[in-house]
Amino acid sequence: MKILVTGSNGLVGSYVVQQLLDAGHQVFASSRTPDLSAFDGHPGYRFIQLDFTDPYMLDAVFEAVQPDVVVHSGAMSKPDDCELNQAEAYKINTAGTLQLLLNAADYKSFFIFLSTDFIFNGKTGMHREDDPADPISYYGRTKLEAEDAVKAYAYEWAIVRTVFVYGKPLYGRDCFVTMIAKKLRNNEAYSLTDDQERTPTYAPDLAKGIAAIIEKKATGVFHLCGKDVRSPYQMAMDVAAFLGIHAHQLKPVRTADLPALAQRPLKSGLDISKAQQLLNYTPLSFGKGMEQTLSGAAGA
Ligand SMILES: NC(=O)c1ccc[n+]([C@@H]2O[C@H](COP(=O)([O-])OP(=O)(O)OC[C@H]3O[C@@H](n4cnc5c(N)ncnc54)[C@H](OP(=O)(O)O)[C@@H]3O)[C@@H](O)[C@H]2O)c1
């Protein structure tokens, strides 16, 4: 199938591209900045430098590609950036998604949208797909408004909500696990919240789940994340134990004591039973995913 992926230079997009190439699809990877991948020359791969907030560029790209599937993972993904620059966050996360939906409709493409646990308020945790949304940050609001637009799309669509993604950086940008490993090795002081619950997601698991959605033409909302609940501080302590570093300067703090621009949900893990049943989604434990992230040259 011809698949257009947005945000291919990002953490999620880079794994999605790799997974879809492995599955034999024809992948049109796109990002705002030049290609960071090493897939140039791969017969199934083409990179398109694209700002998806530009309708003229989008028209040209859709006319050239005529995709069967769009995996829209490009976003302004940092909640504090969105809080600080709300106009840009709306333009990229909400208006950009609307524009992509308009173009996708011309080719009746199957539209798959990457969304977030931050559409929930974090009061109860372990949310199921149909729990009521109530974002407490501007980032969460922009993603929820984009979700609403996807749900109104006239053709097939899927919304994939994920949580705190980590994995060996394919293009050199650190993820949480590799960032913490560096801080531990350099004995840097760093504070991490211990009262926020997350279900951290190993990026290759997420990419496999998205490939399964494409293969099965599974539509609707899916929660694709890890199965273990951890706070950021607990994750960091798992990394420290794996590296055998017992003396360090990582410190647990409460969310209320850590200044941040965007409010973050306290309990925000997602329930994955629907994906386990319908997609045969079987994510690794956090321990295994973390070990694989830190094994080999890129994570060392
Ligand atoms: N990472 C997580 O923990 C997490 C958790 C929940 C949900 N999500 C969702 O998962 C998706 C992927 O997240 P991520 O972590 O991979 O984000 P990321 O690493 O920040 O990557 C985002 C990508 O979006 C691209 N992009 C941003 N604005 C663009 C524009 N106007 N035109 C074209 N490309 C644009 C960026 O391109 P350039 O690099 O070329 O500028 C970048 O490649 C997002 O939708 C995010 O909301 C992520």
Side-chain angles (χ1 to χ4, degrees):
M1 269 188 277
K2 286 189 289 181
I3 305 180
L4 175 66
V5 179
T6 68
S8 64
N9 282 338
L11 176 60
V12 174
S14 61
Y15 275 95
V16 168
V17 166
Q18 191 174 64
Q19 180 69 40
L20 296 179
L21 284 174
D22 286 350
H25 294 291
Q26 207 179 335
V27 179
F28 296 82
S30 71
S31 248
R32 197 171 31 186
T33 50
D35 193 8
L36 295 176
S37 85
F39 290 123
D40 195 24
H42 186 297
Y45 183 79
R46 206 176 124 210
F47 180 81
I48 303 166
Q49 193 167 346
L50 166 72
D51 180 341
F52 58 69
T53 65
D54 178 340
Y56 299 104
M57 278 173 94
L58 267 190
D59 279 350
V61 168
F62 270 81
E63 204 180 323
V65 175
Q66 309 202 355
D68 302 305
V69 182
V70 175
V71 180
H72 178 30
S73 89
M76 189 190 266
S77 63
K78 296 199 170 44
D80 288 346
D81 291 351
C82 294
E83 212 67 36
L84 194 63
N85 195 344
Q86 299 194 354
E88 189 69 3
Y90 181 84
K91 184 178 166 193
I92 294 175
N93 291 352
T94 310
T97 304
L98 279 164
Q99 191 59 52
L100 276 156
L101 285 162
L102 285 175
N103 285 83
D106 287 341
Y107 300 95
K108 301 183 173 54
S109 317
F110 180 18
F111 197 92
I112 302 176
F113 175 62
L114 264 294
S115 191
T116 170
D117 54 328
F118 278 34
I119 63 146
F120 296 114
N121 61 22
K123 288 187 182 154
T124 55
M126 297 315 280
H127 289 286
R128 298 180 70 98
E129 282 78 357
D130 49 5
D131 280 357
D134 177 27
I136 57 173
S137 64
Y138 195 72
Y139 167 66
R141 278 170 53 194
T142 61
K143 297 294 284 188
L144 180 61
E145 283 172 26
E147 279 199 12
D148 289 342
V150 174
K151 287 177 182 170
Y153 181 59
Y155 303 99
E156 286 168 314
W157 58 265
I159 291 170
V160 173
R161 297 192 191 122
T162 191
V163 183
F164 207 102
V165 183
Y166 68 95
K168 194 183 294 246
L170 297 181
Y171 307 152
R173 294 173 179 175
D174 268 324
C175 72
F176 174 84
V177 165
T178 55
M179 180 266 287
I180 290 298
K182 279 183 188 160
K183 291 197 184 301
L184 285 162
R185 288 179 176 127
N186 297 335
N187 197 24
E188 274 177 55
Y190 196 63
S191 299
L192 297 120
T193 53
D194 201 20
D195 59 351
Q196 288 181 15
E197 287 180 4
R198 302 284 181 262
T199 41
T201 309
Y202 184 49
D205 288 336
L206 172 60
K208 277 184 206 150
I210 291 169
I213 285 175
I214 293 170
E215 202 179 299
K216 294 176 191 293
K217 270 272 165 108
T219 56
V221 182
F222 291 94
H223 287 175
L224 297 182
C225 60
K227 55 186 174 181
D228 297 325
V229 177
R230 290 278 186 288
S231 73
Y233 181 71
Q234 286 169 333
M235 289 181 233
M237 290 305 96
D238 287 348
V239 174
F242 174 67
L243 296 177
I245 297 175
H246 304 294
H248 55 74
Q249 298 193 66
L250 303 189
K251 190 173 83 171
V253 288
R254 288 160 43 86
T255 302
D257 299 327
L258 195 69
L261 287 171
Q263 247 190 296
R264 278 147 173 90
L266 281 182
K267 294 182 172 191
S268 87
L270 299 180
D271 182 305
I272 55 171
S273 16
K274 179 180 173 186
Q276 286 172 316
Q277 279 162 24
L278 298 185
L279 305 175
N280 200 19
Y281 179 67
T282 49
L284 294 183
S285 66
F286 177 70
K288 273 266 170 288
M290 179 265 296
E291 281 179 33
Q292 296 207 5
T293 299
L294 293 174
S295 65

